[in-house]
Amino acid sequence: MVVLGLLLVALSGLLAAGVALSNTDPIAASAFGVSLTNVSVGGLFLAGAATGLVFGLGLAVAASGAGRRRAKRRALKQQVSAERDRRESLAQENAQLHEQLERTGSPRHGNPDQV
């Protein structure tokens, strides 16, 4: 898959270079109130390709950050769940010890180690 991806990237780069080099006719272009004159069609194409590349990179960074945040949130939920389970087991153990203490009787006042 990696080789296929690298092959597609190389082919798209060759295509972009071919379009830029074969279209050298000057044109006038304007966008958002900015006008450019004597710009080649190939140069305009490369500017559009660069804009698309920056957009794709921005999406990749945003998706990566969202995935990292999701992983951190999942790990935190697992920690909270593990802590809750630990507390429940300690509460059950405490209840069992209290019940055992009630069955065997209260400890003697003279010896605190004896239960």
Side-chain angles (χ1 to χ4, degrees):
M1 280 308 231
V2 173
V3 173
L4 179 63
L6 291 175
L7 182 64
L8 289 174
V9 167
L11 288 175
S12 68
L14 288 173
L15 178 67
V19 168
L21 293 175
S22 66
N23 292 306
T24 58
D25 297 335
I27 61 168
S30 67
F32 303 111
V34 177
S35 59
L36 301 171
T37 56
N38 293 331
V39 177
S40 70
V41 174
L44 192 59
F45 174 77
L46 288 179
T51 301
L53 184 64
V54 169
F55 178 77
L57 184 63
L59 280 178
V61 168
S64 171
R68 197 173 303 121
R69 175 180 280 173
R70 187 174 27 251
K72 283 183 181 180
R73 190 170 46 236
R74 186 178 301 130
L76 182 61
K77 283 183 179 181
Q78 288 174 350
Q79 287 177 349
V80 167
S81 177
E83 181 65 25
R84 188 175 295 130
D85 291 344
R86 188 182 73 83
R87 285 183 183 181
E88 287 176 4
S89 68
L90 287 175
Q92 288 175 354
E93 183 180 351
N94 191 17
Q96 289 173 352
L97 289 173
H98 277 293
E99 183 179 308
Q100 182 182 9
L101 183 63
E102 287 177 2
R103 276 188 275 134
T104 59
S106 62
R108 296 184 179 147
H109 296 288
N111 189 0
D113 292 333
Q114 185 179 4
V115 176

